[in-house]
Amino acid sequence: MSTAPHTPDTYDRLIDDLTYAYDGVFSPETIATVVHEARALLEPRATITQYLPIFVAKQAREQLMTVAQVEGRVAKQVPEILFVCVHNAGRSQMAAALTEHLSARKVHVRSAGSEPVDTVNPTVLDALAERGIPLSAPYPKPLTHSAVQAADVIVTMGCGDACPVFPGKRYEDWDVADPDGQPLDVVRDIRDDIQQRVTRLLRDVLA
């Protein structure tokens, strides 16, 4: 485990960058709060601490964009799809990665877990890498009301009862096997099942 320290300047610079990016959308105080909340969420789970600022930046950006879309501060350019499973370590990560890979940026994709764990299943990463789909800085993320509110399509896999329901959203529940603890050949089958479902969903959403 790396124990590379991060000075306050690391996060101060992140806050400054996000304040510039969201000038006129959020106050510096709001952005600072979101960054500190992201750090508090992710720091206890960090196994490779040198990458923690990358994870914090990504989480903060996702949260700010989600809230901006929900509150109408930023116009949504493409449909938003949210994939949710229990741990956000396998099925929802694969579904999000495959959707992003196959959609040519015609949709925006997020994933989350009702009970997120610390790390993404390494066999899932291997199965995706076989298709030329690397996950950069992957980490499980918690399911939030704002993420659901921002989405146009919410796909659940094994945790539908944990997902809040908002009117006007499209909900689907996919009966997909859990890759947790499975060997690579089984995870490949799960990946291919998810890809077929993603392909059908994209044809429908983008029709």
Side-chain angles (χ1 to χ4, degrees):
M1 177 187 299
S2 170
T3 57
H6 300 293
T7 67
D9 287 348
T10 301
Y11 296 99
D12 289 344
R13 286 195 296 269
L14 173 57
I15 292 168
D16 288 344
D17 289 347
L18 291 174
T19 298
Y20 177 84
Y22 285 93
D23 182 40
V25 181
F26 293 110
S27 69
E29 293 77 16
T30 297
I31 290 170
T33 297
V34 170
V35 169
H36 293 317
E37 288 176 348
R39 183 179 180 183
L41 173 70
L42 298 173
E43 195 165 37
R45 306 177 184 182
T47 55
I48 306 177
T49 58
Q50 71 187 85
Y51 297 135
L52 180 62
I54 298 173
F55 297 164
V56 170
K58 186 172 182 178
Q59 175 69 20
R61 287 180 186 278
E62 285 283 330
Q63 182 64 16
L64 288 166
M65 181 56 71
T66 297
V67 173
Q69 289 177 343
V70 168
E71 297 181 354
R73 299 173 185 235
V74 173
K76 189 180 294 187
Q77 303 296 321
V78 295
E80 176 101 19
I81 302 176
L82 172 66
F83 293 99
V84 186
C85 66
V86 177
H87 295 146
N88 192 218
R91 291 167 291 185
S92 57
Q93 291 277 356
M94 280 199 287
L98 286 162
T99 301
E100 189 169 301
H101 181 67
L102 295 169
S103 67
R105 298 184 183 272
K106 293 177 182 177
V107 299
H108 185 255
V109 189
R110 290 190 176 100
S111 69
S114 56
E115 299 176 15
V117 293
D118 293 340
T119 59
V120 175
N121 184 334
T123 311
V124 165
L125 300 179
D126 291 342
L128 287 171
E130 289 183 344
R131 291 291 177 83
I133 309 174
L135 284 185
S136 59
Y139 63 97
K141 300 166 287 296
L143 177 65
T144 63
H145 276 64
S146 57
V148 179
Q149 282 184 291
D152 300 295
V153 181
I154 299 98
V155 178
T156 57
M157 288 170 274
C159 63
D161 56 340
C163 191
V165 176
F166 294 100
K169 308 293 182 184
R170 171 176 171 175
Y171 289 83
E172 293 192 11
D173 187 63
W174 291 356
D175 185 13
V176 175
D178 189 347
D180 186 33
Q182 298 297 330
L184 181 57
D185 59 339
V186 173
V187 176
R188 286 187 184 116
D189 290 340
I190 296 171
R191 175 200 62 198
D192 294 346
D193 177 23
I194 291 175
Q195 179 166 335
Q196 291 178 359
R197 295 169 185 267
V198 163
T199 300
R200 289 194 295 268
L201 177 63
L202 286 174
R203 285 174 180 163
D204 195 10
V205 170
L206 299 175

